[in-house]
Structures are given as structure tokens and as C-alpha cells.
Amino acid sequence: MVRLMFLLYITSQVYNVKSQSTGDLRINGGSPENKGRLEILYNDTWGTVCDDYFDNIAASVACRQLGYCSGILLRSEFVTNGNETIWLDDVTCSGNESRLIDCTYTKSHNCHHGEDVGIDCDVICPEIGDLRLVDRTTSRRRDEGRLEIYLNRVWGTVCEQEFDDIDAAVACRQLGYRIGVAIRPGLIDDGTGPIWLYGLGCNGSESKLTDCTHSYLPYCSHYLDVGIQCLFNYPTKDHGNLRLIGGQNRNEGRLEINLFDEWELTGIVLPSKNVDDGNGTIWLANVDCVGNEEKLVNCSYDSYVTHCGHQNDVGIRCFITCPTQGHLRIVESAQEHEGRLEIYMNGVWGTVCRDFFDDIDATVACQQLGFCSGKALHSYNVVDGTGVILLDDLHCSGIESRLMTCSYDPITTDCWSYDDIGVSCSFTCPTTGKFEFR
């Protein structure tokens, strides 16, 4: 009986060895068992696969061969390095293959084990049109990342062209959230494999992204893969409202905005060094307003922020008395009588270009501000401004009561912020009849 059991054991081991054949796959060096470094049996020896050209289509073929429904590529930086032979390089699959070895590949390679590819196989079979978020960015939040959709048995990406927050909201609702916003491609990792959807146009009532109008035409590249950030909170009546925090006066301080019922930070006009650092989410970056918007949230902005820290929190100083056309102010200086000169025109504050600006122009400006005389400050002695440059080629005769009544050119395309002029004003008035020779 003992001899019979021993023979059965030996027979089973021989069968197991013989049952392995060239092209068999296994996942190694990972946890759980459906995720890790991909290895292939070749010439009776297990070895690795190089990541050159390996994409989600190849990963899906490998996962199906292993008995899973589908899967995605694991980039080599997320895979432990192997130490066996690197058997395959430049693997390219159509998606219809039943085994990875049926795909095209080269056996000669220029790879090292730092390029060993991995796969992440789906334990639960996805259905056509299912969505997922992958390659989450630096925040590693589960509710944001590159948007992918499952079509034709392969996971693929979505092109950003015409993709907006309405499309993002539909995708997020399909994923179980309430609302969402689009993340522009430059803030997420590029995907691989097919780009399934292009030119999405959702009206907001759809339950699935595939219900929206779209095109399958591949007029896109992976650097345009779109991402989304999903949220559980609906916008409330306070959505887009602003408040000032931590200022010495009620009209200045750190600027905060309410988005989706959370008060958080927006991103610069009081320099951030003059503003107490906030905490929590930084909601907005790269805010760009035309000037006629009723609310800041109506301006263009990036709602997905990874490059800012709270040391960059912006502040503002608001004017209790509204300026009128042609008002002047001096800013960015430790002394109120000198600094960068700004003028209020067409509803916005802007700067003045240095071209032809002289002490006569500076005196007109200073007298408008309530001083008696003034001198021009060269642009290299002035902190560069932001926003619009409103005046160029100023010429004052010296008798004007307001700077905007001098002759000037409103076209300032040849000026830059480093050309912003400043003034140094004085309460000392020139003595009547006194001449100054230069």
C-alpha cells in the first residue's frame, strides 16, 4: 500500500511537470495572487517579459490565458524585479489571441529587469461599458484618476476632446458618486492600449457614459487621456461663495471659496508670503478671469490641484470705496508714497508701461494721488505686476489733473510685466520761479 501511494505521488509530479508547456504564464512577486510580475515558460525555464510596447491589450490577453476576465498593465516601477531570463520583448497583441505567445514579439531584447512588466487581472468580470479610475495621481485618492472604459473585452481610455464637467458628472454617477469634475490630461498619467471614446457629448441625464453621444474614431493620442475627480456632495446654495480669513482688516485676508459645501482655499493677489497658510483642500489654481464674471467660480480655472502647497494660498485686499475710471494707486511697496503705479480702467486694475514715461508723467500721477510732485521709478526698481497692462507711450504736458487725460496708446502688446513703471511721490512742492538744470 505504501509503495502504491509513493508511485501515485511520483506519477502526479511527473504529470504536473509535463502539463507545463512553452507559453504558460504565471504571476509572481505580488499580492494578491491576481496582481504582480508576469512570467512566461520558455525552453522549460520561467522568465520575465519586457515592458516595451506591452499595453493593456497584451495584459488582457495574458489575464484571460490565466483564467481571468481581463486586466491591465502594471508599469515596471510598480513591479518587483525578477532575476530570470528575459524571454519576450516588444510584445504586441491584437486582443483576439488566446495565449500571449500567439502575439507578435521578439526574443532578442535590450531590456534589464527594471523593465519587467506586471499585470493586474480582474477577479470580477467587467461588463461592456463599465468604468474605472486608474493611475491615481500624487494624492492617491480613490475618487480620482485616469478614466477608463471596458469595451470589446479590453480596458481603454477616453479622449479629452469636448469632454467637460457634464461628462465627468455622468461618469462619476455611473461609478456611484453624486457629482464630478474633469481633470485635464496634463495632470494624469498617460494610458496605454485603445482610446475608445472621442468627442463625448452628455446632456447630464444619462445613467451610463456609453449613453452619451460619442465617436469611436481614433483621432486622439494618450497624452490627451482624460481624468475625473468624483465627489459625494452636491453643490449647495453657497457653491462659489467667497470669504476672507485671517486678515488685519475685514476687507483683506486669505481668500477661500465654497465648492460642494466645503470652504477651502483658492490659489494669488496679496502675495502668499503676506497671508497665513490655510489647511484642507486647495480648490482652484490657474484662475483666469475676463473681468465681467459675477462670481469667481465663473472664471476659467483648474479644479484639480497637485502643484500648490498652502504656502501658495492667495490673499486679496478689497476696496470698500469703489474706484472709478482713471483712479490711480501705488502698490507693492513698504512705503505708501512710492511703488508700482496702477490705474483703474474698464472695471479692472492694470499697470503702466515704462515707454516714454518720465518725471512729468510721474508728477501728474502723484498730484492726482494728492501729493505735490513726483519722480519716475525705473521698472527694475519696481515689483512686476500681474494682469493687464493698460497704458503705453504716455506723454503728459504737466498741466493735466488726471493721468488718463494725457496722450497714451491703449495697445500695449510690446510691453511685459517687467516693463511696469513705478512712481515716487513727495509732499514737497517745487518753489515758484525755481529752475532745475539737467
Side-chain angles (χ1 to χ4, degrees):
M1 185 65 179
V2 173
R3 172 182 275 184
L4 178 61
M5 293 181 66
F6 178 73
L7 288 173
L8 288 173
Y9 172 77
I10 294 298
T11 301
S12 67
Q13 295 304 303
V14 171
Y15 176 78
N16 286 337
V17 170
K18 288 185 176 180
S19 67
Q20 294 181 339
S21 60
T22 294
D24 281 357
L25 303 178
R26 71 182 182 186
I27 295 175
N28 204 347
S31 179
E33 62 182 11
N34 62 305
K35 178 178 180 180
R37 185 177 65 251
L38 177 63
E39 296 187 351
I40 188 168
L41 185 68
Y42 204 88
N43 292 340
D44 295 326
T45 304
W46 287 101
T48 62
V49 178
C50 185
D51 64 0
D52 293 345
Y53 297 109
F54 198 98
D55 58 17
N56 283 346
I57 298 176
S60 293
V61 171
C63 287
R64 289 200 303 271
Q65 180 180 340
L66 287 165
Y68 297 97
C69 297
S70 185
I72 60 170
L73 158 74
L74 273 182
R75 299 176 185 273
S76 54
E77 59 262 34
F78 300 115
V79 177
T80 56
N81 296 344
N83 51 28
E84 311 93 341
T85 303
I86 300 174
W87 282 126
L88 304 185
D89 189 17
D90 300 337
V91 177
T92 305
C93 302
S94 67
N96 298 319
E97 298 86 354
S98 58
R99 288 163 57 87
L100 190 69
I101 204 168
D102 297 331
C103 302
T104 61
Y105 61 87
T106 59
K107 288 186 287 185
S108 60
H109 67 83
N110 57 352
C111 301
H112 53 82
H113 282 298
E115 299 174 86
D116 289 342
V117 80
I119 55 175
D120 184 357
C121 298
D122 296 315
V123 178
I124 300 174
C125 296
E127 297 181 359
I128 298 300
D130 278 358
L131 304 178
R132 68 181 180 189
L133 299 177
V134 297
D135 276 353
R136 298 176 184 91
T137 52
T138 53
S139 68
R140 300 296 175 191
R141 290 170 52 165
R142 296 177 59 84
D143 56 6
E144 63 188 28
R146 187 178 65 248
L147 178 62
E148 293 194 350
I149 186 168
Y150 187 75
L151 294 173
N152 299 333
R153 299 194 304 170
V154 176
W155 287 101
T157 61
V158 178
C159 185
E160 72 138 355
Q161 185 151 2
E162 300 180 37
F163 193 96
D164 57 20
D165 287 347
I166 297 176
D167 306 317
V170 171
C172 287
R173 285 201 303 272
Q174 182 179 340
L175 288 166
Y177 297 89
R178 289 184 174 180
I179 196 69
V181 293
I183 300 174
R184 60 188 177 90
L187 299 174
I188 61 170
D189 291 335
D190 298 346
T192 62
I195 301 172
W196 283 131
L197 301 185
Y198 165 90
L200 264 163
C202 302
N203 61 34
S205 64
E206 299 87 352
S207 59
K208 298 187 70 176
L209 200 63
T210 50
D211 296 335
C212 304
T213 60
H214 59 273
S215 171
Y216 293 107
L217 296 176
Y219 299 142
C220 207
S221 299
H222 279 299
Y223 67 83
L224 296 175
D225 289 339
V226 79
I228 58 175
Q229 180 181 6
C230 297
L231 301 153
F232 285 111
N233 293 336
Y234 283 119
T236 65
K237 61 181 178 62
D238 292 326
H239 184 72
N241 285 352
L242 305 176
R243 68 182 182 188
L244 297 176
I245 299 294
Q248 294 182 350
N249 302 296
R250 66 184 181 89
N251 64 320
E252 65 181 27
R254 186 178 69 248
L255 180 62
E256 295 191 350
I257 188 169
N258 185 298
L259 291 182
F260 305 103
D261 205 28
E262 291 184 42
W263 284 102
E264 301 299 352
L265 304 172
T266 176
I268 285 181
V269 180
L270 273 181
S272 52
K273 64 183 179 182
N274 296 337
V275 176
D276 291 337
D277 295 347
N279 51 55
T281 306
I282 300 175
W283 277 124
L284 306 184
N286 300 323
V287 178
D288 188 12
C289 301
V290 175
N292 58 7
E293 298 86 354
E294 293 183 358
K295 303 181 75 171
L296 191 68
V297 76
N298 299 140
C299 302
S300 66
Y301 58 84
D302 290 332
S303 59
Y304 182 74
V305 184
T306 59
H307 61 283
C308 280
H310 285 297
Q311 72 276 9
N312 302 121
D313 292 341
V314 75
I316 60 173
R317 177 180 293 119
C318 299
F319 294 97
I320 298 172
T321 303
C322 295
T324 59
Q325 185 81 346
H327 267 203
L328 302 179
R329 68 181 182 187
I330 295 174
V331 296
E332 297 281 13
S333 176
Q335 302 181 73
E336 63 178 14
H337 70 280
E338 68 178 23
R340 186 176 68 247
L341 179 64
E342 294 192 348
I343 187 169
Y344 186 81
M345 297 182 70
N346 303 322
V348 295
W349 285 100
T351 59
V352 178
C353 187
R354 70 180 180 180
D355 295 343
F356 298 108
F357 194 96
D358 58 19
D359 288 348
I360 297 175
D361 306 318
T363 295
V364 171
C366 288
Q367 287 174 348
Q368 180 180 338
L369 287 165
F371 296 92
C372 199
S373 62
K375 291 184 177 296
L377 287 178
H378 198 278
S379 54
Y380 54 69
N381 292 324
V382 175
V383 178
D384 295 348
T386 60
V388 64
I389 301 172
L390 291 171
L391 304 183
D392 189 18
D393 298 340
L394 258 165
H395 290 284
C396 299
S397 66
I399 62 173
E400 299 86 354
S401 59
R402 306 186 73 203
L403 194 68
M404 69 175 300
T405 59
C406 301
S407 66
Y408 62 87
D409 187 352
I411 300 173
T412 61
T413 52
D414 62 336
C415 294
W416 304 89
S417 293
Y418 56 74
D419 294 316
D420 292 340
I421 199 69
V423 293
S424 177
C425 298
S426 173
F427 286 110
T428 302
C429 298
T431 304
T432 301
K434 182 177 180 179
F435 294 91
E436 182 179 351
F437 294 94
R438 300 181 182 178

